[in-house]
Amino acid sequence: MGQLIGRWIRGATLAPLALLTAGIAYAQEDDVAARLAALEEAVSGSASAYVDNSYLFLIGGLIVMFMAAGFCMLEAGLVRSKNAAMQATKNVTLFAVAGLMFWVVGYNMAYPAETTLMGLLGTTPGPWSGGDLSIESEDGYAPASDWFFQMVFVATAASIVSGTVAERIKIWPFLIFTAVLTAFIYPIVASWEWGGGYLDSEWGFSDFAGSTLVHSTGGWAALTGAIIIGARKGKYSGGHVNPMPGSNIPLAALGTFILWFGWFGFNGASQLAAGTAADINSVAQIFANTNMAAVGGVLAAMVTTAILYKGKLDATMIFNGAIGGLVSITAEPLAPSMGLSVLIGAVGGVLVVVSVPLLDKFKIDDVVGAIPAHLVCGIWGTMIVPLSNGDASYLGQLVGVALTGVFVVVASSVIWLALKFTLGVRPSEEDEEMGLDRAEIGLEAYPEFSNR
């Protein structure tokens, strides 16, 4: 009987409040059966929370994983037909590379047991050391559910890079950069906040689901790559911008809707718990605010393009307005009201529209508009957090944005330049003109339109 009670007590450690209640019952009841019933009730409550928390990670992870399909469809639709198969191939393979590298080294870099260099670097690199996945964790959720949820995030940063540098990069150098980004660059940045590192401990930096840690990280890496690799052939020839329309706007629209859907898992499951009424209420609030930020982004981008382009609407700007709104709310999707969420997303939509011609002015070729949507809106979303979250400070947010930018730009530049001067990153002019579908993939997405 003593061993049975001991097992019940150990199982109830997942619910301290329930155990306290059970302990009181133990002290007040003389009847052994009553004491055991109280402990059993505590354990039952713990098991329910354990299941709910694990389901949140698993379902949220599945939804975030589907964002990979959204990025694939968006990018395949916005590149020219002669590069669509290449873009689809890159998106499938980058997800596989990201998953492998996050297991090999990335997870332990992002969530280290200890840190060094003032919390700037984790000290436990190497394959994930979560132990036996079949053993129930005392953290309140299945260990593998947490790993899976954290893993699907990492491919998002690589997808941002993929869209920006599309149509003029060879696949193997791109995948090598993806491996470094997902194994080291992204995990180190994530560790500064989510792993309890420098930004969290020293500056009180707040980034709920990754406006900076995920989206700006991918955006800075994409910006660096676009500058070092250069623009597509003919994009800025003749002293002006030469439009290169995408091959399939309906496909890009589908990608936008998939990403919009995926963001509910991205932000909602970042609550990290669903075992109490308060937690699930927070998840519901996050869903609502996330949706309304996208609404604001779409409508603001639509109005802004109509004003700037004399009544003409640009579908790609509107699609990226939705993404810009979603990125903007990601740093703090719980605290704002619905109305404020609409305004935060609307500013993101405007920023997307005005940033695109600014990039063209500096001859920075961003094929899908990922830099405005993910980098610019990621910075905006991070900096506006203190407006609704009193625990964050504008100085702390600024330090987080700046430190992330400096680190990612320097690290990415080293990798891009190393690839450029060793393997080479660009295809030949002949291959670029022919299209990477034929040059590198050997299979065309639209063979009847291969030269468009």
Side-chain angles (χ1 to χ4, degrees), residues 349-429:
V350 173
L351 288 172
V352 165
V353 176
V354 299
S355 298
V356 169
L358 185 62
L359 289 176
D360 283 333
K361 182 178 180 180
F362 290 100
K363 297 184 178 181
I364 298 174
D365 187 10
D366 181 356
V367 177
V368 303
I371 293 170
H374 295 274
L375 174 55
V376 176
C377 291
I379 293 172
W380 153 248
T382 302
M383 291 306 304
I384 201 61
V385 166
L387 182 64
S388 58
N389 183 347
D391 293 332
S393 70
Y394 290 105
L395 178 59
Q397 299 301 97
L398 179 61
V399 170
V401 167
L403 181 60
T404 299
V406 170
F407 171 72
V408 177
V409 166
V410 171
S412 297
S413 296
V414 170
I415 305 304
W416 283 126
L417 290 170
L419 290 170
K420 182 176 181 178
F421 292 113
T422 54
L423 297 179
V425 292
R426 292 195 69 135
S428 66
E429 289 190 5

Side-chain angles (χ1 to χ4, degrees), residues 29-95:
E29 295 285 346
D30 293 329
D31 183 75
V32 173
R35 294 199 299 269
L36 294 179
L39 288 171
E40 185 174 9
E41 182 179 356
V43 173
S44 177
S46 300
S48 176
Y50 189 96
V51 171
D52 289 342
N53 294 339
S54 300
Y55 267 132
L56 180 69
F57 282 133
L58 292 172
I59 295 172
L62 287 172
I63 296 173
V64 175
M65 188 272 175
F66 196 45
M67 291 178 72
F71 279 112
C72 183
M73 296 299 96
L74 178 67
E75 294 172 20
L78 293 182
V79 299
R80 290 169 291 178
S81 60
K82 62 185 180 181
N83 295 304
M86 172 64 149
Q87 210 58 27
T89 303
K90 283 166 57 183
N91 274 274
V92 173
T93 53
L94 75 83
F95 191 86

Side-chain angles (χ1 to χ4, degrees), residues 272-320:
L272 305 182
T276 67
D279 280 325
I280 202 63
N281 190 62
S282 294
V283 173
Q285 288 178 265
I286 291 168
F287 270 50
N289 287 342
T290 297
N291 186 69
M292 297 314 292
V295 167
V298 166
L299 297 178
M302 187 175 184
V303 171
T304 305
T305 54
I307 293 172
L308 294 180
Y309 303 119
K310 299 179 181 180
K312 297 288 186 180
L313 300 180
D314 186 326
T316 63
M317 293 285 196
I318 295 172
F319 300 163
N320 274 322

Side-chain angles (χ1 to χ4, degrees), residues 256-267:
T256 302
F257 271 122
I258 293 174
L259 288 171
W260 194 329
F261 170 77
W263 236 281
F264 297 121
F266 202 95
N267 287 356

